Amino acid sequence: MFESIEAAAPDAILGLMEVFRADGNPDKINLTVGVFKDESGLTPVLKCVKAAERRLLDNETTKTYLPISGLSDFCRQTQELYFGANHEVVTSSRAATVQTPGGTGALRVAADFLKHNLGSDTIWCSTPTWPNHPKVFKAGGIEVKNYPYFDADSHGVNVDAMLEAIRKMPAGNVICLHACCHNPTGADPTMEQWKQIADAVYERGLLPLLDFAYLGFGDGIQQDAAALLQFARPETELLVASSYSKNFGLYSERVGALSVVTQNRDAVKTVDSQLKATIRTNYSNPPEHGAAIVSTILNDADLTAQWESELAAMRDRINGMRTLFTQKMSEKLPDREFTFIERQRGMFSYTGLTPEQVDRLREEHSVYIVRDGRINVAGISHANVDALCAAIAKVLAD
Ligand code: LMR
């Protein structure tokens, strides 16, 4: 039976990791998957994480199952971190939060929950979006449509086109928005534009699903949460898929959360019960270690301060590389505009490189970039920036 199965296409992002590993060139450069890298090209374990792990190791008494919805402290802390401890959503207890295996797990639980409980048949994603978004939503049985987002000329967001599209979406549809550090473009709306977007979403009767994978990687924890707060208005409903992969560097621990904000606290219990039903039939209950690390850190003022400073250092390094890359590219190709790289935020920028140019970079220079032209700015370092810019300038100039 299995012989008749057709091979699936390699994943557009994670598939490239395998190709990169197989490249024998010692000077190869990896700007593919969105993981933070330090100056030496390593993805370090944060010091606050190591400290929390030592405590966990000393104090752990059991490996018994977690509740279906995960660690309750972690879920509460997630709400407090994203909305703010004194935010009305938190103080009025009108959000159900469950721990999930990463942000992707949160998106899949959201898709199943929306399909089974609201009969949601359509979700709108930005053009472009993270390539796994449509796949996850389709796997949950939801049709994916697209709204305009990125403007290739300005390298920013085409908010007018986005608002026009939102105003035509059928009421009751779900719209997926990147809360900050848009993946793959690095282009975010301004706060005034976010307000307009939230107004339009709610006027139209849409249900927003905010994918929040990069809190703290844009301009700071509070600054990055500001767009979410535009949606968390009195009595509004929304979903938030949070990831701790990037901001705590816990990629392999698979730790994330899904929060469903209901109009008032009456619906929370039912929503929570349905989220648990979804989780039970998917993976039964989540793994403990990653969430216990996050919870230990957020439960301790010193560890939290250490985490904030380590997060700021990651953010500053990426923003420093944005400036350096922009300077070097502008020197190499003075007639081309690269300042947008410096303006954009988060791990990614959309370079405008075509798939053919990306292929040439890989084949001729061992420079690895996602085929849509997205670069992971965190993969740039003082050691590789000259070779990288030389290679990009060469394929752009030919
Ligand atoms: C990325 O976009 O590179 C990351 O979010 C990793 C992933 O799972 O694709």
Side-chain angles (χ1 to χ4, degrees), residues 11 13-14 32-35 104 130-132 183 213-214 246 254 348 370 374:
D11 185 78
I13 297 171
L14 297 186
T32 59
V33 62
V35 294
T104 309
W130 181 50
N132 210 27
N183 179 3
Y214 294 91
K246 328 277 171 169
R254 310 309 299 136
F348 307 117
V370 181
R374 183 192 88 169

Side-chain angles (χ1 to χ4, degrees), residues 76-320:
R76 174 184 50 78
Q77 289 159 329
T78 294
Q79 290 187 7
E80 292 175 359
L81 180 64
Y82 282 77
F83 294 95
N86 296 320
H87 192 278
E88 175 273 325
V89 163
V90 180
T91 55
S92 62
S93 309
R94 65 179 181 100
T97 297
V98 291
Q99 180 190 327
T100 56
T104 309
L107 292 168
R108 181 57 199 266
V109 171
D112 288 351
F113 168 80
L114 291 167
K115 177 76 183 174
H116 292 133
N117 294 288
L118 299 183
S120 299
D121 54 10
T122 307
I123 187 159
W124 295 81
C125 291
S126 59
T127 303
T129 194
W130 181 50
N132 210 27
H133 271 153
K135 293 184 182 175
V136 171
F137 298 138
K138 279 180 200 161
I142 305 184
E143 190 192 342
V144 177
K145 291 188 178 161
N146 299 99
Y147 59 86
Y149 183 84
F150 187 63
D151 176 33
D153 292 334
S154 68
H155 302 276
V157 185
N158 186 346
V159 173
D160 289 342
M162 184 177 173
L163 289 171
E164 199 184 320
I166 289 173
R167 291 188 183 116
K168 290 186 190 137
M169 291 175 192
N173 278 190
V174 184
I175 178 167
C176 177
L177 299 147
H178 302 228
C180 73
C181 307
H182 185 267
N183 179 3
T185 66
D188 290 330
T190 63
M191 216 32 68
E192 180 51 36
Q193 291 169 338
W194 271 123
K195 185 179 174 308
Q196 292 175 311
I197 293 164
D199 286 348
V201 162
Y202 288 128
E203 273 160 28
R204 198 66 205 160
L206 305 172
L207 180 58
L209 162 55
L210 273 74
D211 187 353
F212 215 152
Y214 294 91
L215 177 79
F217 271 87
D219 293 305
I221 296 171
Q222 280 186 354
Q223 295 90 325
D224 293 354
L228 165 67
L229 301 187
Q230 285 293 343
F231 288 86
R233 300 174 180 182
E235 298 195 359
T236 53
E237 297 176 318
L238 66 145
L239 288 83
V240 186
S242 320
S243 168
Y244 290 94
S245 297
K246 328 277 171 169
N247 46 22
F248 281 74
L250 289 171
Y251 308 90
S252 63
E253 299 295 351
R254 310 309 299 136
V255 47
L258 175 67
S259 298
V260 180
V261 180
T262 62
Q263 202 173 33
N264 56 60
R265 65 193 300 172
D266 298 348
V268 168
K269 241 183 160 167
T270 340
V271 165
D272 191 53
S273 73
Q274 288 295 349
L275 290 173
K276 286 198 278 205
T278 301
I279 289 168
R280 179 68 171 142
T281 52
N282 270 295
Y283 51 88
S284 191
N285 46 66
E288 179 171 22
H289 190 64
I293 293 170
V294 172
S295 186
T296 303
I297 293 170
L298 295 179
N299 203 29
D300 179 295
D302 290 340
L303 287 181
T304 300
Q306 191 178 7
W307 168 62
E308 286 176 5
S309 112
E310 290 185 86
L311 177 58
M314 291 195 279
R315 178 172 66 241
D316 290 348
R317 198 190 101 65
I318 294 175
N319 289 337

